[in-house]
Amino acid sequence: MNLAAVASAVLDSVIVVGDYNLPQLQWIFDHDLNSYLPTNASTEAEISLTEILFSAGLHQICSIPNNNMRLLDLAFCNDPGNVIMFESPVSIIPTDRHHKPYVLCVEVHSNSSPTDCTGRFDFVLDYSKCNFDLIAAAFDSTNWEFIGANDNVNVAVDAFYRKLHSVLRLRNQLRKARKCYTKNRTEDQRRRLRSLERDFKELNDNLYRQHISRFQQNLKRDPSSFWKHFKSKRRHATIPVDISFNGVAASNMTESTNMFADFFQSVFSSADYETDSNYLASIQSHDVNLPMPSLTEQEVFERLSTVDPSKGTGPDDIPHSVLKNCAASLAAPICHLFNRSLRERTFPNAWRIAAITPIYKSGNAHCVENYRPISILCAISKIFEVLMHERMYAAIKPFIADSQHGFVKKKVNCHQLNVLRELAEQQFGKRM
């Protein structure tokens, strides 16, 4: 790496850290430079380190000596005025007396703008091991009357998601303690953080040992759980950033995303879904008795209780596990939104959004053409679809021909093959 070229960039913040194995090198603070300078660089390694880093415009800012009062784990940066350094109250990994852990805080600016999408956040929280009883209690104590007070169902759905996320995004005590200590670093906060870190590490270690012990005890009886754990530890394949489309290569994630969007849009033709008016006129019409449906809380509760918690989170960032474990608390407000959508004959905009994920098929993984798109929908919109399908299927089923097998309950391809074989036997007079 060319440190001089990197450090000369005006908009970049460069930080170089490490133990350079130079225990005899002594440092003294220089107030004019606001950093430390070596006082006895004499060996080839000491001279090379100081000349290379200082010529690149980097300053030594580490002020935390080890138990021998020597600076070993050094930190160099090109903007010491905007970097805060302090000793870590608790180490993430075991340490020795020669190497004290320290924390570097630097403000990083991003050129990318947040996505303007209803319900989307910069990251998705993991609810796999959260306390759903406390979340459900928070939902039970929420006054959902504001849903019916909004002008239309779109505003009501947006308000519902805002309230839902405000409950789910509560910070735990440990994260609060870390944030508070990083800002103020008082002795009381330091002791509290140490205590919480120690309790958390002890609990986490015990739970992990119990988790591994269960795998060992149940390996013969339940081998699938072991292989599921094994696969979860494997590195997942990711989409390469340097993707190409029509001979043009992407240089960053934004360009890669736009290339996938352009390709998927190019293979989709709205003409495929344009129906000939003459063909519609030739279809036999039926008088279907389908009154305005009104869903019940019990129906919504039963569907929420049967969702698969292992499924991925949709564009609304509401995990299936939250909907399943808090079904009793969320059935009433969700049912109200469903019925309001039916009365107003409007499908909310938030439920029309789909997250498009490229899935690699075969061939060169760097070519956009070798991926296919899949749409990930909101879990709540899919529940709405299932409930409405049940109502509509019961009304339309009497008009479906017996020879229809696609999208019909309790009819699969093998049944249709049997019907075709029987017709062939009747026509040709011999067994097929």
Side-chain angles (χ1 to χ4, degrees):
M1 180 180 66
N2 189 338
L3 288 176
V6 175
S8 63
V10 178
L11 298 180
D12 291 339
S13 294
V14 179
I15 299 177
V16 181
V17 296
D19 177 11
Y20 300 95
N21 295 320
L22 300 174
Q24 302 304 322
L25 190 61
Q26 298 179 4
W27 299 84
I28 186 171
F29 186 77
D30 187 284
H31 293 278
D32 295 331
L33 296 177
N34 192 28
S35 63
Y36 286 79
L37 293 177
T39 60
N40 62 335
S42 57
T43 65
E44 182 179 355
E46 294 172 347
I47 295 174
S48 297
L49 172 71
T50 55
E51 286 184 351
I52 293 175
L53 293 175
F54 289 153
S55 63
L58 301 178
H59 303 266
Q60 204 290 101
I61 62 172
C62 178
S63 59
I64 303 174
N66 62 4
N67 288 354
N68 296 327
M69 301 307 295
R70 295 187 181 276
L71 296 177
L72 296 182
D73 299 284
L74 307 178
F76 297 84
C77 72
N78 63 336
D79 190 10
N82 290 327
V83 179
I84 301 175
M85 183 177 186
F86 57 89
E87 183 179 351
S88 175
V90 178
S91 175
I92 300 178
I93 60 176
T95 60
D96 56 55
R97 61 188 183 90
H98 298 292
H99 302 277
K100 288 187 177 182
Y102 59 79
V103 177
L104 284 172
C105 297
V106 58
E107 185 177 359
V108 179
H109 298 279
S110 175
N111 294 327
S112 59
S113 58
T115 303
D116 185 11
C117 179
T118 302
R120 297 297 290 168
F121 294 92
D122 296 333
F123 57 89
V124 179
L125 300 179
D126 182 12
Y127 297 94
S128 58
K129 297 180 177 62
C130 70
N131 190 329
F132 289 107
D133 292 335
L134 293 179
I135 295 179
F139 288 147
D140 289 335
S141 61
T142 300
N143 184 1
W144 299 102
E145 294 182 358
F146 65 89
I147 293 179
N150 291 285
D151 297 335
N152 56 63
V153 67
N154 279 311
V155 179
V157 170
D158 292 342
F160 169 76
Y161 276 123
R162 285 196 297 271
K163 176 61 70 173
L164 206 61
H165 283 291
S166 67
V167 175
L168 293 178
R169 291 170 64 85
L170 296 176
R171 302 286 184 175
N172 56 51
Q173 286 186 346
L174 180 57
R175 183 175 297 177
K176 285 182 177 179
R178 285 173 176 163
K179 183 177 180 181
C180 188
Y181 177 75
T182 302
K183 284 187 174 182
N184 302 314
R185 300 199 299 276
T186 64
E187 187 60 29
D188 291 340
Q189 292 163 352
R190 186 170 184 264
R191 285 195 297 268
R192 174 172 170 75
L193 178 57
R194 280 185 177 276
S195 176
L196 288 171
E197 289 274 12
R198 187 169 50 251
D199 295 343
F200 173 79
K201 185 177 184 303
E202 182 179 354
L203 177 61
N204 189 53
D205 292 343
N206 291 335
L207 291 176
Y208 185 75
R209 284 194 293 268
Q210 296 175 13
H211 183 60
I212 299 301
S213 177
R214 284 195 296 269
F215 284 137
Q216 296 173 346
Q217 296 174 2
N218 302 329
L219 183 58
K220 292 184 177 180
R221 183 176 59 86
D222 187 17
S224 60
S225 297
F226 167 77
W227 288 112
K228 183 179 180 180
H229 173 75
F230 174 77
K231 292 179 180 179
S232 68
K233 297 299 181 181
R234 296 178 62 184
R235 181 177 297 178
H236 298 282
T238 57
I239 300 174
V241 176
D242 54 339
I243 207 80
S244 63
F245 179 50
N246 289 335
V248 180
S251 59
N252 53 57
M253 186 59 67
T254 301
E255 293 182 2
S256 176
T257 302
N258 292 334
M259 284 187 178
F260 276 110
D262 294 339
F263 170 65
F264 294 151
Q265 185 178 11
S266 67
V267 298
F268 174 82
S269 176
S270 59
D272 297 338
Y273 297 89
E274 294 178 359
T275 307
D276 186 2
S277 58
N278 295 329
Y279 171 73
L280 289 176
S282 64
I283 298 178
Q284 181 182 359
S285 61
H286 300 278
D287 186 12
V288 179
N289 182 19
L290 185 61
M292 175 63 69
S294 178
L295 302 176
T296 65
E297 291 185 18
Q298 183 62 27
E299 290 178 295
V300 176
F301 168 76
E302 292 175 356
R303 281 298 166 187
L304 290 173
S305 302
T306 58
V307 299
D308 186 355
S310 65
K311 296 294 184 180
T313 303
D316 58 358
D317 287 340
I318 303 300
H320 289 64
S321 57
V322 172
L323 298 176
K324 179 180 178 66
N325 291 280
C326 303
S329 305
L330 296 175
I334 293 178
C335 179
H336 181 81
L337 293 175
F338 286 167
N339 288 325
R340 186 167 181 181
S341 175
L342 293 171
R343 289 195 305 269
E344 298 180 16
R345 294 177 173 83
T346 302
F347 194 73
N349 295 329
W351 295 344
R352 301 181 187 183
I353 299 174
I356 307 299
T357 301
I359 302 298
Y360 172 69
K361 296 184 296 184
S362 61
N364 187 356
H366 295 270
C367 293
V368 170
E369 293 88 342
N370 294 326
Y371 291 80
R372 64 179 178 87
I374 63 170
S375 299
I376 301 176
L377 304 174
C378 302
I380 297 178
S381 68
K382 291 189 288 186
I383 293 173
F384 193 14
E385 177 186 356
V386 171
L387 292 173
M388 290 306 303
H389 176 266
E390 294 176 350
R391 298 295 183 89
M392 297 178 65
Y393 184 80
I396 298 175
K397 188 177 184 300
F399 304 99
I400 300 177
D402 293 336
S403 58
Q404 173 71 30
H405 283 71
F407 309 103
V408 178
K409 291 181 179 180
K410 299 182 180 180
K411 288 188 177 182
V412 293
N413 291 340
C414 60
H415 295 164
Q416 190 173 29
L417 293 175
N418 290 333
V419 172
L420 293 175
R421 186 183 63 181
E422 293 175 358
L423 293 176
E425 291 174 356
Q426 294 175 4
Q427 182 175 358
F428 298 104
K430 60 179 180 179
R431 185 172 183 81
M432 301 298 292

